[in-house]
PDB file of all heavy atoms in Angstrom:
ATOM      1  N   VAL A  28     -18.293   8.905  18.511  1.00  0.00           N
ATOM      2  CA  VAL A  28     -18.696   7.800  17.661  1.00  0.00           C
ATOM      3  C   VAL A  28     -18.249   6.472  18.231  1.00  0.00           C
ATOM      4  O   VAL A  28     -18.913   5.455  18.081  1.00  0.00           O
ATOM      5  CB  VAL A  28     -18.127   7.992  16.244  1.00  0.00           C
ATOM      6  CG1 VAL A  28     -18.529   6.830  15.345  1.00  0.00           C
ATOM      7  CG2 VAL A  28     -18.633   9.303  15.657  1.00  0.00           C
ATOM      8  N   GLY A  29     -17.116   6.467  18.925  1.00  0.00           N
ATOM      9  CA  GLY A  29     -16.584   5.230  19.455  1.00  0.00           C
ATOM     10  C   GLY A  29     -17.531   4.514  20.386  1.00  0.00           C
ATOM     11  O   GLY A  29     -17.489   3.298  20.520  1.00  0.00           O
ATOM     12  N   ARG A  30     -18.448   5.235  21.054  1.00  0.00           N
ATOM     13  CA  ARG A  30     -19.377   4.597  21.981  1.00  0.00           C
ATOM     14  C   ARG A  30     -20.399   3.730  21.263  1.00  0.00           C
ATOM     15  O   ARG A  30     -21.031   2.883  21.867  1.00  0.00           O
ATOM     16  CB  ARG A  30     -20.072   5.667  22.806  1.00  0.00           C
ATOM     17  CG  ARG A  30     -19.162   6.393  23.777  1.00  0.00           C
ATOM     18  CD  ARG A  30     -19.964   7.158  24.806  1.00  0.00           C
ATOM     19  NE  ARG A  30     -20.671   8.279  24.206  1.00  0.00           N
ATOM     20  CZ  ARG A  30     -20.171   9.498  24.108  1.00  0.00           C
ATOM     21  NH1 ARG A  30     -18.956   9.743  24.540  1.00  0.00           N
ATOM     22  NH2 ARG A  30     -20.856  10.490  23.554  1.00  0.00           N
ATOM     23  N   CYS A  31     -20.571   3.945  19.937  1.00  0.00           N
ATOM     24  CA  CYS A  31     -21.603   3.221  19.207  1.00  0.00           C
ATOM     25  C   CYS A  31     -21.204   1.792  18.908  1.00  0.00           C
ATOM     26  O   CYS A  31     -22.053   0.937  18.718  1.00  0.00           O
ATOM     27  CB  CYS A  31     -21.909   3.943  17.898  1.00  0.00           C
ATOM     28  SG  CYS A  31     -22.503   5.623  18.108  1.00  0.00           S
ATOM     29  N   PHE A  32     -19.898   1.505  18.810  1.00  0.00           N
ATOM     30  CA  PHE A  32     -19.460   0.212  18.354  1.00  0.00           C
ATOM     31  C   PHE A  32     -18.444  -0.377  19.319  1.00  0.00           C
ATOM     32  O   PHE A  32     -17.309  -0.642  18.954  1.00  0.00           O
ATOM     33  CB  PHE A  32     -18.833   0.335  16.951  1.00  0.00           C
ATOM     34  CG  PHE A  32     -19.736   0.961  15.942  1.00  0.00           C
ATOM     35  CD1 PHE A  32     -19.352   2.098  15.261  1.00  0.00           C
ATOM     36  CD2 PHE A  32     -20.969   0.404  15.671  1.00  0.00           C
ATOM     37  CE1 PHE A  32     -20.177   2.674  14.316  1.00  0.00           C
ATOM     38  CE2 PHE A  32     -21.800   0.971  14.727  1.00  0.00           C
ATOM     39  CZ  PHE A  32     -21.409   2.113  14.053  1.00  0.00           C
ATOM     40  N   ARG A  33     -18.788  -0.538  20.564  1.00  0.00           N
ATOM     41  CA  ARG A  33     -17.832  -1.060  21.531  1.00  0.00           C
ATOM     42  C   ARG A  33     -17.668  -2.571  21.349  1.00  0.00           C
ATOM     43  O   ARG A  33     -18.620  -3.292  21.068  1.00  0.00           O
ATOM     44  CB  ARG A  33     -18.278  -0.755  22.957  1.00  0.00           C
ATOM     45  CG  ARG A  33     -18.299   0.735  23.276  1.00  0.00           C
ATOM     46  CD  ARG A  33     -18.123   0.962  24.759  1.00  0.00           C
ATOM     47  NE  ARG A  33     -18.205   2.375  25.078  1.00  0.00           N
ATOM     48  CZ  ARG A  33     -17.212   3.222  24.961  1.00  0.00           C
ATOM     49  NH1 ARG A  33     -16.053   2.807  24.507  1.00  0.00           N
ATOM     50  NH2 ARG A  33     -17.363   4.489  25.272  1.00  0.00           N
ATOM     51  N   MET A  34     -16.442  -3.046  21.551  1.00  0.00           N
ATOM     52  CA  MET A  34     -16.137  -4.465  21.441  1.00  0.00           C
ATOM     53  C   MET A  34     -15.791  -4.997  22.823  1.00  0.00           C
ATOM     54  O   MET A  34     -15.459  -4.240  23.725  1.00  0.00           O
ATOM     55  CB  MET A  34     -14.968  -4.685  20.477  1.00  0.00           C
ATOM     56  CG  MET A  34     -15.236  -4.185  19.061  1.00  0.00           C
ATOM     57  SD  MET A  34     -13.792  -4.342  18.003  1.00  0.00           S
ATOM     58  CE  MET A  34     -13.600  -6.115  17.983  1.00  0.00           C
ATOM     59  N   ARG A  35     -15.847  -6.287  22.975  1.00  0.00           N
ATOM     60  CA  ARG A  35     -15.576  -6.889  24.280  1.00  0.00           C
ATOM     61  C   ARG A  35     -14.089  -6.901  24.603  1.00  0.00           C
ATOM     62  O   ARG A  35     -13.711  -7.118  25.738  1.00  0.00           O
ATOM     63  CB  ARG A  35     -16.113  -8.320  24.302  1.00  0.00           C
ATOM     64  CG  ARG A  35     -17.652  -8.371  24.356  1.00  0.00           C
ATOM     65  CD  ARG A  35     -18.152  -9.798  24.319  1.00  0.00           C
ATOM     66  NE  ARG A  35     -19.596  -9.877  24.486  1.00  0.00           N
ATOM     67  CZ  ARG A  35     -20.293 -10.989  24.373  1.00  0.00           C
ATOM     68  NH1 ARG A  35     -19.678 -12.121  24.065  1.00  0.00           N
ATOM     69  NH2 ARG A  35     -21.589 -10.974  24.544  1.00  0.00           N
ATOM     70  N   CYS A  36     -13.238  -6.731  23.625  1.00  0.00           N
ATOM     71  CA  CYS A  36     -11.805  -6.758  23.881  1.00  0.00           C
ATOM     72  C   CYS A  36     -11.161  -5.568  23.203  1.00  0.00           C
ATOM     73  O   CYS A  36     -11.713  -4.985  22.276  1.00  0.00           O
ATOM     74  CB  CYS A  36     -11.176  -8.055  23.367  1.00  0.00           C
ATOM     75  SG  CYS A  36     -11.534  -8.393  21.642  1.00  0.00           S
ATOM     76  N   HIS A  37      -9.992  -5.207  23.674  1.00  0.00           N
ATOM     77  CA  HIS A  37      -9.257  -4.078  23.115  1.00  0.00           C
ATOM     78  C   HIS A  37      -8.770  -4.451  21.723  1.00  0.00           C
ATOM     79  O   HIS A  37      -8.357  -5.591  21.473  1.00  0.00           O
ATOM     80  CB  HIS A  37      -8.055  -3.759  24.013  1.00  0.00           C
ATOM     81  CG  HIS A  37      -7.387  -2.484  23.655  1.00  0.00           C
ATOM     82  ND1 HIS A  37      -6.443  -2.412  22.657  1.00  0.00           N
ATOM     83  CD2 HIS A  37      -7.550  -1.222  24.132  1.00  0.00           C
ATOM     84  CE1 HIS A  37      -6.022  -1.180  22.534  1.00  0.00           C
ATOM     85  NE2 HIS A  37      -6.678  -0.429  23.413  1.00  0.00           N
ATOM     86  N   PRO A  38      -8.813  -3.504  20.759  1.00  0.00           N
ATOM     87  CA  PRO A  38      -8.406  -3.834  19.390  1.00  0.00           C
ATOM     88  C   PRO A  38      -6.985  -4.350  19.275  1.00  0.00           C
ATOM     89  O   PRO A  38      -6.680  -5.129  18.378  1.00  0.00           O
ATOM     90  CB  PRO A  38      -8.573  -2.510  18.638  1.00  0.00           C
ATOM     91  CG  PRO A  38      -8.584  -1.451  19.687  1.00  0.00           C
ATOM     92  CD  PRO A  38      -9.231  -2.092  20.875  1.00  0.00           C
ATOM     93  N   ALA A  39      -6.091  -3.935  20.169  1.00  0.00           N
ATOM     94  CA  ALA A  39      -4.710  -4.412  20.112  1.00  0.00           C
ATOM     95  C   ALA A  39      -4.616  -5.893  20.442  1.00  0.00           C
ATOM     96  O   ALA A  39      -3.615  -6.542  20.148  1.00  0.00           O
ATOM     97  CB  ALA A  39      -3.843  -3.605  21.069  1.00  0.00           C
ATOM     98  N   GLN A  40      -5.669  -6.463  21.069  1.00  0.00           N
ATOM     99  CA  GLN A  40      -5.667  -7.876  21.430  1.00  0.00           C
ATOM    100  C   GLN A  40      -6.285  -8.742  20.340  1.00  0.00           C
ATOM    101  O   GLN A  40      -6.344  -9.957  20.453  1.00  0.00           O
ATOM    102  CB  GLN A  40      -6.435  -8.080  22.731  1.00  0.00           C
ATOM    103  CG  GLN A  40      -5.851  -7.339  23.925  1.00  0.00           C
ATOM    104  CD  GLN A  40      -6.757  -7.427  25.127  1.00  0.00           C
ATOM    105  OE1 GLN A  40      -7.971  -7.430  25.005  1.00  0.00           O
ATOM    106  NE2 GLN A  40      -6.146  -7.518  26.296  1.00  0.00           N
ATOM    107  N   VAL A  41      -6.790  -8.093  19.280  1.00  0.00           N
ATOM    108  CA  VAL A  41      -7.508  -8.816  18.251  1.00  0.00           C
ATOM    109  C   VAL A  41      -6.604  -9.113  17.071  1.00  0.00           C
ATOM    110  O   VAL A  41      -5.871  -8.268  16.618  1.00  0.00           O
ATOM    111  CB  VAL A  41      -8.725  -7.988  17.761  1.00  0.00           C
ATOM    112  CG1 VAL A  41      -9.451  -8.731  16.634  1.00  0.00           C
ATOM    113  CG2 VAL A  41      -9.679  -7.730  18.915  1.00  0.00           C
ATOM    114  N   SER A  42      -6.620 -10.327  16.572  1.00  0.00           N
ATOM    115  CA  SER A  42      -5.945 -10.643  15.320  1.00  0.00           C
ATOM    116  C   SER A  42      -6.940 -11.349  14.408  1.00  0.00           C
ATOM    117  O   SER A  42      -7.857 -12.025  14.866  1.00  0.00           O
ATOM    118  CB  SER A  42      -4.724 -11.527  15.552  1.00  0.00           C
ATOM    119  OG  SER A  42      -5.111 -12.760  16.126  1.00  0.00           O
ATOM    120  N   LEU A  43      -6.803 -11.144  13.120  1.00  0.00           N
ATOM    121  CA  LEU A  43      -7.737 -11.684  12.141  1.00  0.00           C
ATOM    122  C   LEU A  43      -7.148 -12.952  11.537  1.00  0.00           C
ATOM    123  O   LEU A  43      -6.060 -12.942  10.996  1.00  0.00           O
ATOM    124  CB  LEU A  43      -7.988 -10.639  11.048  1.00  0.00           C
ATOM    125  CG  LEU A  43      -8.881 -11.068   9.885  1.00  0.00           C
ATOM    126  CD1 LEU A  43     -10.278 -11.397  10.400  1.00  0.00           C
ATOM    127  CD2 LEU A  43      -8.950  -9.977   8.835  1.00  0.00           C
ATOM    128  N   ARG A  44      -7.891 -14.055  11.628  1.00  0.00           N
ATOM    129  CA  ARG A  44      -7.444 -15.324  11.048  1.00  0.00           C
ATOM    130  C   ARG A  44      -8.358 -15.645   9.868  1.00  0.00           C
ATOM    131  O   ARG A  44      -9.543 -15.876  10.046  1.00  0.00           O
ATOM    132  CB  ARG A  44      -7.471 -16.439  12.073  1.00  0.00           C
ATOM    133  CG  ARG A  44      -6.460 -16.280  13.200  1.00  0.00           C
ATOM    134  CD  ARG A  44      -6.576 -17.413  14.191  1.00  0.00           C
ATOM    135  NE  ARG A  44      -5.565 -17.334  15.222  1.00  0.00           N
ATOM    136  CZ  ARG A  44      -5.669 -16.619  16.320  1.00  0.00           C
ATOM    137  NH1 ARG A  44      -6.746 -15.885  16.516  1.00  0.00           N
ATOM    138  NH2 ARG A  44      -4.718 -16.614  17.219  1.00  0.00           N
ATOM    139  N   THR A  45      -7.803 -15.643   8.675  1.00  0.00           N
ATOM    140  CA  THR A  45      -8.562 -15.965   7.488  1.00  0.00           C
ATOM    141  C   THR A  45      -7.736 -16.920   6.639  1.00  0.00           C
ATOM    142  O   THR A  45      -6.645 -16.565   6.179  1.00  0.00           O
ATOM    143  CB  THR A  45      -8.871 -14.700   6.672  1.00  0.00           C
ATOM    144  OG1 THR A  45      -9.540 -13.755   7.507  1.00  0.00           O
ATOM    145  CG2 THR A  45      -9.753 -15.033   5.480  1.00  0.00           C
ATOM    146  N   ARG A  46      -8.245 -18.156   6.466  1.00  0.00           N
ATOM    147  CA  ARG A  46      -7.533 -19.167   5.674  1.00  0.00           C
ATOM    148  C   ARG A  46      -6.102 -19.360   6.178  1.00  0.00           C
ATOM    149  O   ARG A  46      -5.160 -19.464   5.394  1.00  0.00           O
ATOM    150  CB  ARG A  46      -7.543 -18.790   4.194  1.00  0.00           C
ATOM    151  CG  ARG A  46      -8.943 -18.721   3.599  1.00  0.00           C
ATOM    152  CD  ARG A  46      -8.896 -18.304   2.152  1.00  0.00           C
ATOM    153  NE  ARG A  46     -10.231 -18.155   1.602  1.00  0.00           N
ATOM    154  CZ  ARG A  46     -10.492 -17.729   0.363  1.00  0.00           C
ATOM    155  NH1 ARG A  46      -9.483 -17.407  -0.433  1.00  0.00           N
ATOM    156  NH2 ARG A  46     -11.723 -17.609  -0.064  1.00  0.00           N
ATOM    157  N   GLY A  47      -5.948 -19.346   7.480  1.00  0.00           N
ATOM    158  CA  GLY A  47      -4.649 -19.614   8.075  1.00  0.00           C
ATOM    159  C   GLY A  47      -3.718 -18.422   8.133  1.00  0.00           C
ATOM    160  O   GLY A  47      -2.632 -18.522   8.683  1.00  0.00           O
ATOM    161  N   LEU A  48      -4.138 -17.287   7.563  1.00  0.00           N
ATOM    162  CA  LEU A  48      -3.289 -16.099   7.594  1.00  0.00           C
ATOM    163  C   LEU A  48      -3.551 -15.330   8.875  1.00  0.00           C
ATOM    164  O   LEU A  48      -4.679 -14.965   9.178  1.00  0.00           O
ATOM    165  CB  LEU A  48      -3.581 -15.209   6.382  1.00  0.00           C
ATOM    166  CG  LEU A  48      -2.801 -13.903   6.317  1.00  0.00           C
ATOM    167  CD1 LEU A  48      -1.308 -14.198   6.159  1.00  0.00           C
ATOM    168  CD2 LEU A  48      -3.282 -13.037   5.151  1.00  0.00           C
ATOM    169  N   ARG A  49      -2.525 -15.018   9.623  1.00  0.00           N
ATOM    170  CA  ARG A  49      -2.663 -14.307  10.881  1.00  0.00           C
ATOM    171  C   ARG A  49      -2.026 -12.929  10.735  1.00  0.00           C
ATOM    172  O   ARG A  49      -0.839 -12.808  10.486  1.00  0.00           O
ATOM    173  CB  ARG A  49      -1.993 -15.081  12.015  1.00  0.00           C
ATOM    174  CG  ARG A  49      -2.277 -14.517  13.406  1.00  0.00           C
ATOM    175  CD  ARG A  49      -1.791 -15.502  14.465  1.00  0.00           C
ATOM    176  NE  ARG A  49      -2.161 -15.070  15.803  1.00  0.00           N
ATOM    177  CZ  ARG A  49      -1.381 -14.348  16.577  1.00  0.00           C
ATOM    178  NH1 ARG A  49      -0.205 -13.952  16.135  1.00  0.00           N
ATOM    179  NH2 ARG A  49      -1.768 -14.009  17.787  1.00  0.00           N
ATOM    180  N   VAL A  50      -2.828 -11.885  10.853  1.00  0.00           N
ATOM    181  CA  VAL A  50      -2.335 -10.522  10.743  1.00  0.00           C
ATOM    182  C   VAL A  50      -2.310  -9.915  12.131  1.00  0.00           C
ATOM    183  O   VAL A  50      -3.346  -9.709  12.748  1.00  0.00           O
ATOM    184  CB  VAL A  50      -3.234  -9.681   9.812  1.00  0.00           C
ATOM    185  CG1 VAL A  50      -2.677  -8.261   9.706  1.00  0.00           C
ATOM    186  CG2 VAL A  50      -3.304 -10.318   8.438  1.00  0.00           C
ATOM    187  N   GLU A  51      -1.147  -9.639  12.655  1.00  0.00           N
ATOM    188  CA  GLU A  51      -1.018  -9.099  14.000  1.00  0.00           C
ATOM    189  C   GLU A  51      -1.446  -7.632  14.037  1.00  0.00           C
ATOM    190  O   GLU A  51      -1.155  -6.859  13.129  1.00  0.00           O
ATOM    191  CB  GLU A  51       0.427  -9.210  14.482  1.00  0.00           C
ATOM    192  CG  GLU A  51       0.904 -10.630  14.688  1.00  0.00           C
ATOM    193  CD  GLU A  51       0.257 -11.302  15.882  1.00  0.00           C
ATOM    194  OE1 GLU A  51      -0.429 -10.603  16.653  1.00  0.00           O
ATOM    195  OE2 GLU A  51       0.434 -12.514  16.029  1.00  0.00           O
ATOM    196  N   ALA A  52      -2.160  -7.264  15.100  1.00  0.00           N
ATOM    197  CA  ALA A  52      -2.588  -5.875  15.256  1.00  0.00           C
ATOM    198  C   ALA A  52      -1.409  -4.941  15.442  1.00  0.00           C
ATOM    199  O   ALA A  52      -1.534  -3.746  15.242  1.00  0.00           O
ATOM    200  CB  ALA A  52      -3.549  -5.756  16.430  1.00  0.00           C
ATOM    201  N   LEU A  53      -0.251  -5.505  15.832  1.00  0.00           N
ATOM    202  CA  LEU A  53       0.916  -4.661  16.074  1.00  0.00           C
ATOM    203  C   LEU A  53       1.675  -4.348  14.790  1.00  0.00           C
ATOM    204  O   LEU A  53       2.618  -3.571  14.814  1.00  0.00           O
ATOM    205  CB  LEU A  53       1.856  -5.337  17.077  1.00  0.00           C
ATOM    206  CG  LEU A  53       1.313  -5.463  18.501  1.00  0.00           C
ATOM    207  CD1 LEU A  53       2.344  -6.163  19.392  1.00  0.00           C
ATOM    208  CD2 LEU A  53       0.979  -4.099  19.074  1.00  0.00           C
ATOM    209  N   ALA A  54       1.298  -4.936  13.651  1.00  0.00           N
ATOM    210  CA  ALA A  54       1.945  -4.603  12.393  1.00  0.00           C
ATOM    211  C   ALA A  54       1.670  -3.140  12.056  1.00  0.00           C
ATOM    212  O   ALA A  54       0.651  -2.572  12.445  1.00  0.00           O
ATOM    213  CB  ALA A  54       1.444  -5.519  11.290  1.00  0.00           C
ATOM    214  N   GLN A  55       2.604  -2.548  11.329  1.00  0.00           N
ATOM    215  CA  GLN A  55       2.506  -1.124  11.005  1.00  0.00           C
ATOM    216  C   GLN A  55       1.904  -0.922   9.618  1.00  0.00           C
ATOM    217  O   GLN A  55       2.324  -1.540   8.643  1.00  0.00           O
ATOM    218  CB  GLN A  55       3.896  -0.496  11.047  1.00  0.00           C
ATOM    219  CG  GLN A  55       3.921   0.992  10.734  1.00  0.00           C
ATOM    220  CD  GLN A  55       5.342   1.512  10.642  1.00  0.00           C
ATOM    221  OE1 GLN A  55       6.198   0.915   9.991  1.00  0.00           O
ATOM    222  NE2 GLN A  55       5.608   2.619  11.324  1.00  0.00           N
ATOM    223  N   LYS A  56       0.905  -0.035   9.543  1.00  0.00           N
ATOM    224  CA  LYS A  56       0.317   0.334   8.255  1.00  0.00           C
ATOM    225  C   LYS A  56       0.937   1.651   7.800  1.00  0.00           C
ATOM    226  O   LYS A  56       0.887   2.648   8.521  1.00  0.00           O
ATOM    227  CB  LYS A  56      -1.203   0.462   8.371  1.00  0.00           C
ATOM    228  CG  LYS A  56      -1.906  -0.881   8.514  1.00  0.00           C
ATOM    229  CD  LYS A  56      -3.396  -0.728   8.679  1.00  0.00           C
ATOM    230  CE  LYS A  56      -3.755  -0.393  10.106  1.00  0.00           C
ATOM    231  NZ  LYS A  56      -5.204  -0.434  10.352  1.00  0.00           N
ATOM    232  N   ALA A  57       1.524   1.637   6.616  1.00  0.00           N
ATOM    233  CA  ALA A  57       2.153   2.824   6.046  1.00  0.00           C
ATOM    234  C   ALA A  57       1.399   3.208   4.782  1.00  0.00           C
ATOM    235  O   ALA A  57       1.340   2.417   3.835  1.00  0.00           O
ATOM    236  CB  ALA A  57       3.625   2.564   5.732  1.00  0.00           C
ATOM    237  N   GLU A  58       0.813   4.394   4.776  1.00  0.00           N
ATOM    238  CA  GLU A  58       0.078   4.871   3.610  1.00  0.00           C
ATOM    239  C   GLU A  58       1.051   5.632   2.709  1.00  0.00           C
ATOM    240  O   GLU A  58       1.521   6.718   3.050  1.00  0.00           O
ATOM    241  CB  GLU A  58      -1.078   5.770   4.036  1.00  0.00           C
ATOM    242  CG  GLU A  58      -2.065   6.067   2.932  1.00  0.00           C
ATOM    243  CD  GLU A  58      -2.900   4.870   2.521  1.00  0.00           C
ATOM    244  OE1 GLU A  58      -2.894   3.847   3.248  1.00  0.00           O
ATOM    245  OE2 GLU A  58      -3.576   4.950   1.480  1.00  0.00           O
ATOM    246  N   TYR A  59       1.374   5.041   1.569  1.00  0.00           N
ATOM    247  CA  TYR A  59       2.273   5.648   0.604  1.00  0.00           C
ATOM    248  C   TYR A  59       1.476   6.624  -0.265  1.00  0.00           C
ATOM    249  O   TYR A  59       0.517   6.241  -0.933  1.00  0.00           O
ATOM    250  CB  TYR A  59       2.917   4.579  -0.270  1.00  0.00           C
ATOM    251  CG  TYR A  59       4.152   3.948   0.327  1.00  0.00           C
ATOM    252  CD1 TYR A  59       4.132   3.362   1.591  1.00  0.00           C
ATOM    253  CD2 TYR A  59       5.360   3.924  -0.374  1.00  0.00           C
ATOM    254  CE1 TYR A  59       5.263   2.778   2.133  1.00  0.00           C
ATOM    255  CE2 TYR A  59       6.504   3.345   0.157  1.00  0.00           C
ATOM    256  CZ  TYR A  59       6.445   2.775   1.416  1.00  0.00           C
ATOM    257  OH  TYR A  59       7.578   2.192   1.963  1.00  0.00           O
ATOM    258  N   ILE A  60       1.878   7.886  -0.263  1.00  0.00           N
ATOM    259  CA  ILE A  60       1.141   8.962  -0.930  1.00  0.00           C
ATOM    260  C   ILE A  60       1.990   9.532  -2.060  1.00  0.00           C
ATOM    261  O   ILE A  60       3.187   9.762  -1.899  1.00  0.00           O
ATOM    262  CB  ILE A  60       0.809  10.083   0.081  1.00  0.00           C
ATOM    263  CG1 ILE A  60      -0.058   9.539   1.221  1.00  0.00           C
ATOM    264  CG2 ILE A  60       0.125  11.257  -0.606  1.00  0.00           C
ATOM    265  CD1 ILE A  60      -0.191  10.511   2.391  1.00  0.00           C
ATOM    266  N   TRP A  61       1.363   9.752  -3.197  1.00  0.00           N
ATOM    267  CA  TRP A  61       2.037  10.446  -4.287  1.00  0.00           C
ATOM    268  C   TRP A  61       1.006  11.221  -5.098  1.00  0.00           C
ATOM    269  O   TRP A  61      -0.197  11.098  -4.865  1.00  0.00           O
ATOM    270  CB  TRP A  61       2.820   9.462  -5.155  1.00  0.00           C
ATOM    271  CG  TRP A  61       2.025   8.617  -6.110  1.00  0.00           C
ATOM    272  CD1 TRP A  61       1.820   8.828  -7.438  1.00  0.00           C
ATOM    273  CD2 TRP A  61       1.338   7.374  -5.807  1.00  0.00           C
ATOM    274  NE1 TRP A  61       1.063   7.822  -7.995  1.00  0.00           N
ATOM    275  CE2 TRP A  61       0.753   6.916  -7.016  1.00  0.00           C
ATOM    276  CE3 TRP A  61       1.162   6.622  -4.647  1.00  0.00           C
ATOM    277  CZ2 TRP A  61       0.012   5.730  -7.084  1.00  0.00           C
ATOM    278  CZ3 TRP A  61       0.415   5.453  -4.712  1.00  0.00           C
ATOM    279  CH2 TRP A  61      -0.144   5.026  -5.913  1.00  0.00           C
ATOM    280  N   CYS A  62       1.453  12.039  -6.027  1.00  0.00           N
ATOM    281  CA  CYS A  62       0.529  12.766  -6.894  1.00  0.00           C
ATOM    282  C   CYS A  62       0.788  12.371  -8.337  1.00  0.00           C
ATOM    283  O   CYS A  62       1.913  12.038  -8.705  1.00  0.00           O
ATOM    284  CB  CYS A  62       0.644  14.272  -6.703  1.00  0.00           C
ATOM    285  SG  CYS A  62       2.240  14.971  -7.139  1.00  0.00           S
ATOM    286  N   ASP A  63      -0.273  12.397  -9.141  1.00  0.00           N
ATOM    287  CA  ASP A  63      -0.130  11.964 -10.532  1.00  0.00           C
ATOM    288  C   ASP A  63       0.218  13.111 -11.468  1.00  0.00           C
ATOM    289  O   ASP A  63       0.326  12.931 -12.681  1.00  0.00           O
ATOM    290  CB  ASP A  63      -1.380  11.231 -11.012  1.00  0.00           C
ATOM    291  CG  ASP A  63      -2.646  12.093 -10.969  1.00  0.00           C
ATOM    292  OD1 ASP A  63      -2.534  13.326 -11.100  1.00  0.00           O
ATOM    293  OD2 ASP A  63      -3.742  11.529 -10.811  1.00  0.00           O
TER     294      ASP A  63
END
Side-chain angles (χ1 to χ4, degrees):
V28 179
R30 292 195 292 269
C31 300
F32 304 122
R33 295 206 183 278
M34 300 175 64
R35 288 178 175 174
C36 54
H37 190 276
Q40 299 172 325
V41 178
S42 62
L43 176 62
R44 293 179 176 85
T45 305
R46 298 178 184 176
L48 178 65
R49 189 169 186 267
V50 181
E51 293 290 351
L53 292 180
Q55 180 186 47
K56 288 178 279 189
E58 192 70 13
Y59 275 55
I60 300 168
W61 76 98
C62 63
D63 61 29

